[in-house]
Amino acid sequence: MGGGLARHFGALGDAGADALAAMINDAIDRKAARAGRPRGASDEDAPLAGHVLAMVFEKNSTRTRVSFDIAMRQLGGSVLVLDSGSSQLGRGETIADTARVLSRMVDAIMLRTDDHAKLEEMAAHASVPVINGLTDLSHPCQILADLLTVIEHGKALPGLELAWFGDGNNVLHSILEAAGLFKFNVRVATPAGYEPDPAFVALARAGGAQVTLTQDARAAARGADVIVTDTWISMGQADAADKKAAMQPYQVNAALMAEAKPDALFLHCLPAHVGEEVSAEVFEGPHSVVFDEAENRIHAQKSVLLWCLGRL
Ligand code: CP
Ligand code: NVA
């Protein structure tokens, strides 16, 4: 993604499978090495001392904002936050000019926005790395944390059977991209009309992943290693009653979980709408690793930052 010499992280493919595997390994090592230290204390080597990350938010965030902030502190650097409402972006200053200004002032930029083209534009005009902190199209940082979580819980990626339920959204798109890179299989159970972007299905298949698109939730769950869902209504989408009604059969509940392998993991990027896409029983139950997954945003993103800044 983008021009210039900067290493952008707009998609998982910008790094590729080998670099992503190295990032996951480094995240595991760094996480273990700093066990017991206060969360805001830096790692022993403070590899990004003196570096500043600007975080630009055109959408709400809890995990992405906090995890990038803590990640930079642990790497020895710091962050600043620009919200569109309180910066000149909200008054119409262009992404291109914002990219060029920030590139003179900080070492890396994270952008959370709606239209993925805005992220591409930021990367095209920035001379420092630009990181995708979620767009309407994809959420690669989330999926790196998800892969880390799956591996930490003892599951190997090649041949893994992952099943997705509900809306064919940005998070699923990055899962599909990861599937092609790491050769795992994805069963996608959605109502008709809510399938993922076919370009991401094609990307996964081109990489050697098997992708099954179905409207049969039970069949998708059968024998799965990992069960994943997300909100039925993503940020920026209308809270439509007809969409929620169509999604109802795709709720991850105890009956659906019972179809999966006995040691299956339940993942959700959060925020969750318990009682909608997931039942309380599953969300709070023994398969759920959603808070490990949330914490892993810190550890995975430290690797993203190190990779972007040429330290990995
Ligand atoms: N999962 C995730 O990206 O959470 P936030 O929207 O809180 O950043
Ligand atoms: N699909 C959700 C993910 C939130 C982290 C959204 O885009 O709102």
Side-chain angles (χ1 to χ4, degrees):
M1 182 180 72
L5 296 172
R7 269 187 178 179
H8 303 300
F9 191 75
L12 294 168
D14 287 345
D18 291 349
L20 291 170
M23 287 154 79
I24 292 169
N25 286 338
D26 197 64
I28 290 168
D29 290 347
R30 280 191 177 276
K31 184 175 177 179
R34 63 167 294 112
R37 290 172 86 86
R39 267 84 187 237
S42 77
D43 292 354
E44 202 109 313
D45 57 347
L48 295 186
H51 289 69
V52 180
L53 171 73
M55 298 197 276
V56 182
F57 286 102
E58 296 201 302
K59 285 185 171 184
N60 296 49
S61 171
T62 296
R63 276 145 293 273
T64 302
R65 180 171 174 161
V66 176
S67 60
F68 267 110
D69 189 326
I70 298 301
M72 280 302 282
R73 290 179 203 218
Q74 293 187 359
L75 294 170
S78 61
V79 299
L80 55 85
V81 176
L82 284 90
D83 288 309
S84 54
S86 59
S87 68
Q88 298 291 5
L89 272 171
R91 295 183 58 253
E93 186 168 18
T94 64
I95 296 266
D97 286 355
T98 304
R100 289 184 288 178
V101 170
L102 291 178
S103 294
R104 301 289 188 102
M105 296 186 177
V106 302
D107 301 288
I109 301 166
M110 187 233 74
L111 174 62
R112 167 168 286 199
T113 190
D114 41 25
D115 186 353
H116 194 79
K118 292 187 188 175
L119 183 87
E120 304 272 3
E121 195 185 349
M122 184 76 92
H125 295 278
S127 57
V128 299
V130 174
I131 298 169
N132 179 355
L134 179 146
T135 69
D136 289 348
L137 190 71
S138 60
H139 197 3
C141 290
Q142 178 67 54
I143 301 318
L144 196 64
D146 290 7
L147 299 180
L148 170 58
T149 307
V150 166
I151 290 168
E152 255 183 4
H153 283 273
K155 294 185 183 288
L157 297 181
L160 188 87
E161 296 289 335
L162 181 149
W164 173 274
F165 300 88
D167 193 23
N169 66 13
N170 47 2
V171 173
L172 174 59
H173 291 161
S174 290
I175 287 176
L176 288 166
E177 191 178 8
L181 292 166
F182 287 102
K183 322 291 176 215
F184 62 86
N185 304 321
V186 187
R187 302 104 169 262
V188 179
T190 68
Y194 295 100
E195 292 87 358
D197 181 336
F200 284 92
V201 176
L203 191 63
R205 287 181 177 150
Q210 289 170 30
V211 180
T212 312
L213 303 177
T214 178
Q215 291 168 24
D216 184 342
R218 287 283 181 106
R222 210 156 291 144
D225 298 293
V226 180
I227 299 281
V228 196
T229 190
D230 185 15
T231 181
W232 291 338
I233 311 289
S234 283
M235 289 182 278
Q237 296 179 346
D239 193 349
D242 58 337
K243 183 174 183 184
K244 284 187 171 174
M247 293 289 161
Q248 219 66 55
Y250 300 87
Q251 184 194 65
V252 177
N253 50 34
L256 198 75
M257 262 333 283
E259 299 283 351
K261 287 206 180 123
D263 67 345
L265 302 176
F266 171 70
L267 297 181
H268 189 311
C269 65
L270 308 180
H273 306 78
V274 174
E276 293 189 5
E277 72 271 8
V278 58
S279 70
E281 200 179 353
V282 169
F283 190 76
E284 304 293 348
H287 298 280
S288 177
V289 292
V290 298
F291 296 105
D292 291 344
E293 183 184 2
E295 180 193 332
N296 278 338
R297 293 292 302 278
I298 298 173
H299 307 293
Q301 283 155 204
K302 285 166 75 175
S303 292
V304 171
L305 290 160
L306 289 170
W307 178 80
C308 284
L309 290 163
R311 308 298 169 96
L312 200 66

